[in-house]
Amino acid sequence: MTPLHELPDAVRDSAAPVCAGRSVGGAGDRVDGGVLTQTWGDFIVRVRHTAQGLRDKPAQRWAVLVDDRYDFVCALFALLLAGKHPVMPANSTPGHLAQLAHEFDATLTDLDGFAIHGDGGEAALSIDPGAPLTLFTSGSSGVPKAIHKTLAQFNAEVHTLEAQFGASIGRATVMASVPHHHIYGLLFTVFWPLAAARVFWREDLGEPALLRDALAAAGAPAVVISSPAHLARWPGLLDLAALQPPPCRFFSSGGPLAADAAQAYTLALGVAPTEVFGSTETGGIAWRRQSDGLAWRPMPGIEIARDDERALRVRSPHLDHEGWHRTDDAVDLLEDGRFMLTGRLDRVVKLDGKRVSLPEIEQQLGKHGFVKEAATVLLTKEDGGRERIGAVVVLSEAGATCLREAGRGALVKTLRLHLAEHFDAVVLPRHWRMRFALPVDARGKLAAAALAAQFDPSAGQPELLSELRTAHEWQFELRVPRDLIHFSGHFPGLPILPGVVQVDWVMRFAAQHLPFACQVASLEQLKFVAPVLPGAILTLTMTHEADRQRVYFNFTSAGQPCASGRILYREPACA
């Protein structure tokens, strides 16, 4: 293991591979069987030359907006070597960067980050072991929160990871479906493989076909760094037992892995993925494999305790101090040193004088046969109105059948009656959304802001109340907002939803949910047979005929037809 701050001076074979993948490479790349390999020599030259160019730039805090993992690694270590302060936004969307504008002075991007090249002079540059780095976490509010850490903290953590898992993964190539801009991806796909001289794969492998092809192309054992969202989806899209060569370990972090997903990997591979528990503030704390049990085992060097409020307390070399750090995770300590997570203390809310734990509501919902997954959020009104709880539910097959046959109202009533056996009526969810999947981000995180957005329609769009799908049919239950801007002037005294808006909604849902991204050739047989008024509840049904390159749609309200038509698309655009 090489300390992170010593990597630019590490004595390694200049031809040794650092990174592999199918992305376009540069000078010093080696091509083996269609796989591009970046060498240690190329990495060091690129880092040092870029650092020379950055050294005299006046900006100190640099936002690293580089998506390619290898280019990101070069940018990050060039900044550290130049004595700069790397800042790592979670993504490069304009809105996100605008929120963080006060946190950085300049940017390195995919387009211009490596146009900065020095003359390769002999100026002696080195990395400060305590060099600062800034990451961001959404926390429980969804507002980006800056977390300032040092390279020494990351160095301590990669040594912990090697001590816990190094022997079991050997020289495996590190592949990932998670981005490298947050602490989990940064540690597991960048810092750890570099320090331990393991090869990392430069591309993100979120799609199952990409993972399968990358494993085959690498032709050697690999460890897969993933998230609960990806791991839960892959068993239905990928024959895990047929992966060649089989991954020697799957890692998961960002939230608990669903029990049925853990079981799928256990059945196919003999062992569940390794889940890592921690946070951006604390770093890694503990790990578990559900095939061995549900309790969490602290990592080497991590001390744990519980305070009077049942909150987990941690003392760790990954922190920026030597004292105890209190988390908002409630735990039960076991006699053998492990612990059970029992919920989040910061998700206890008070409604009409009654306190209730949102995780407890989610847990009880998950016990009902109609529910596959559930998440809840406290909804507040801008006008100071009463707070209420909203529930976002992913239905099981039985739940989807109930929704299809009995309707959304009957389904919600059933779930509320189930919860009423455990909670006071005033704290039961009042707002419900049925979804194909929970709105997790690329890191597998489920932020409160993303949940709240499910109950707040975008401008000009309907409220999406529920979703259903079969092999070729999609059904959406929609509420038409009473204050929809399209009612203005259409018509004075008798507001009616314009037909062109209904078609626009169809096109948006088709683009989001159908398994193709196509160019529309024409719209045919459009019929508008009944007016749609403010507050109406609509059912949109879309049927896909792939062989005829058509999508049929119809709107109904209370079982009565409102509008219908069909979309013809061009197959060549669906590459």
Side-chain angles (χ1 to χ4, degrees):
M1 288 286 287
T2 304
L4 295 177
H5 68 279
E6 294 181 7
L7 281 172
D9 299 310
V11 179
R12 294 182 181 176
D13 181 357
S14 63
V18 171
C19 167
R22 296 185 181 276
S23 298
V24 176
D29 294 350
R30 189 173 68 213
V31 181
D32 296 320
V35 175
L36 294 170
T37 302
Q38 282 69 43
T39 66
W40 180 255
D42 178 50
F43 169 66
I44 294 301
V45 168
R46 197 174 188 189
V47 165
R48 287 200 169 277
H49 280 194
T50 307
Q52 293 284 355
L54 284 166
R55 181 185 52 173
D56 296 326
K57 297 293 179 181
Q60 183 62 23
R61 302 174 304 167
W62 290 74
V64 190
L65 309 177
V66 182
D67 291 330
D68 181 279
R69 186 169 280 107
Y70 176 67
D71 289 347
F72 172 85
V73 169
C74 293
L76 178 60
F77 275 88
L79 287 167
L80 292 169
L81 194 59
K84 304 299 184 180
H85 181 160
V87 176
M88 283 158 278
N91 60 68
S92 57
T93 59
H96 183 67
L97 294 180
Q99 289 181 302
L100 310 181
H102 61 287
E103 295 285 354
F104 58 87
D105 311 311
T107 62
L108 282 180
T109 72
D110 288 323
L111 297 177
D112 61 19
F114 297 100
I116 305 171
H117 289 288
D119 58 9
E122 298 301 323
L125 298 178
S126 61
I127 297 178
D128 180 357
L133 298 92
T134 298
L135 298 94
F136 297 89
T137 178
S138 61
S140 58
S141 67
V143 178
K145 175 185 176 183
I147 304 295
H148 304 291
K149 301 180 81 75
T150 67
L151 194 62
Q153 289 175 261
F154 288 110
N155 190 61
E157 187 149 7
V158 296
H159 279 77
T160 298
L161 294 175
E162 184 68 16
Q164 180 64 65
F165 305 116
S168 65
I169 66 175
R171 308 310 305 164
T173 297
V174 177
M175 297 182 174
S177 66
V178 296
H180 44 262
H181 303 100
H182 60 91
I183 191 168
Y184 174 47
L186 182 64
L187 279 166
F188 278 72
T189 74
V190 173
F191 283 149
W192 187 16
L194 278 176
R198 291 189 182 92
V199 177
F200 64 85
W201 202 261
R202 73 188 300 170
E203 299 148 303
D204 283 341
L205 305 172
E207 293 303 317
L210 295 178
L211 174 64
R212 182 193 60 229
D213 294 347
L215 289 169
V223 57
V224 180
I225 314 301
S226 192
S227 68
H230 283 130
L231 291 173
R233 189 167 62 95
W234 284 346
L237 303 171
L238 194 64
D239 185 350
L240 297 172
L243 293 176
Q244 291 295 327
C248 60
R249 188 183 286 257
F250 283 87
F251 281 97
S252 177
S253 190
L257 180 63
D260 58 347
Q263 184 178 26
Y265 287 83
T266 302
L267 292 174
L269 304 173
V271 65
T274 298
E275 298 175 73
V276 177
F277 166 65
S279 68
T280 307
E281 294 90 340
T282 64
I285 295 173
W287 67 281
R288 73 174 182 182
R289 287 188 301 205
Q290 292 188 41
S291 50
D292 301 327
L294 299 181
W296 295 87
R297 188 182 306 277
M299 290 186 180
I302 308 298
E303 298 179 65
I304 64 169
R306 189 180 77 167
D307 66 14
D308 293 339
E309 296 179 341
R310 301 177 61 199
L312 175 67
R313 300 173 68 233
V314 178
R315 189 155 60 187
S316 164
H318 310 158
L319 295 167
D320 60 358
H321 58 84
E322 296 182 354
W324 288 92
H325 175 88
R326 183 187 187 275
T327 74
D328 286 318
D329 295 288
V331 297
D332 287 333
L333 301 183
L334 306 181
E335 292 183 357
D336 62 0
R338 297 179 300 162
F339 63 89
M340 298 289 293
L341 290 171
T342 59
R344 289 281 297 178
L345 297 173
D346 60 349
R347 299 189 67 216
V348 175
V349 301
K350 192 173 184 179
L351 295 174
D352 295 339
K354 302 287 186 179
R355 292 175 63 85
V356 64
S357 166
L358 296 181
E360 288 185 14
I361 294 179
E362 294 163 359
Q363 184 179 31
Q364 289 300 331
L365 276 174
K367 292 180 179 180
H368 195 281
F370 287 173
V371 177
K372 184 177 180 181
E373 290 183 280
T376 56
V377 64
L378 183 65
L379 302 173
T380 58
K381 293 186 176 181
E382 294 182 358
D383 59 5
R386 299 173 70 183
E387 295 179 318
R388 286 291 180 254
I389 293 173
V392 181
V393 176
V394 178
L395 297 174
S396 65
E397 290 186 11
T401 299
C402 177
L403 177 60
R404 186 178 298 108
E405 296 180 354
R408 181 173 172 275
L411 173 64
V412 168
K413 183 178 180 180
T414 298
L415 296 179
R416 281 179 58 87
L417 287 173
H418 168 70
L419 290 178
E421 298 178 5
H422 306 276
F423 304 98
D424 192 287
V426 299
V427 301
L428 297 182
R430 295 293 182 91
H431 305 279
W432 296 77
R433 298 292 185 265
M434 312 303 168
R435 295 289 186 263
F436 298 145
L438 297 181
V440 297
D441 61 18
R443 298 174 291 172
K445 293 285 188 178
L446 186 61
L451 285 172
Q454 304 299 305
F455 301 88
D456 185 15
S458 302
Q461 300 303 308
E463 294 183 61
L464 176 57
L465 303 179
S466 67
E467 303 172 320
L468 277 174
R469 64 181 169 190
T470 59
H472 304 289
E473 184 177 278
W474 287 258
Q475 190 176 95
F476 307 94
E477 187 175 6
L478 314 172
R479 179 187 288 125
V480 181
R482 294 184 179 277
D483 58 353
L484 194 70
I485 189 172
H486 304 298
F487 287 125
S488 178
H490 194 272
F491 296 95
L494 182 62
I496 295 175
L497 185 67
V500 66
V501 175
Q502 298 177 51
V503 173
D504 177 68
W505 289 356
V506 172
M507 299 300 292
R508 289 176 182 269
F509 279 102
Q512 293 173 11
H513 296 282
L514 296 183
F516 52 80
C518 304
Q519 180 180 349
V520 173
S522 63
L523 296 171
E524 298 182 348
Q525 297 184 344
L526 293 180
K527 297 179 181 179
F528 302 96
V529 297
V532 177
L533 306 179
I537 301 295
L538 296 176
T539 298
L540 167 62
T541 303
M542 299 190 304
T543 305
H544 181 210
E545 290 189 358
D547 57 337
R548 303 180 71 184
Q549 299 175 203
R550 295 179 178 181
V551 177
Y552 293 86
F553 70 88
N554 65 78
F555 283 102
T556 61
S557 180
Q560 300 301 310
C562 296
S564 62
R566 68 185 182 192
I567 304 169
L568 274 65
Y569 61 86
R570 296 189 180 94
E571 187 67 35
C574 304

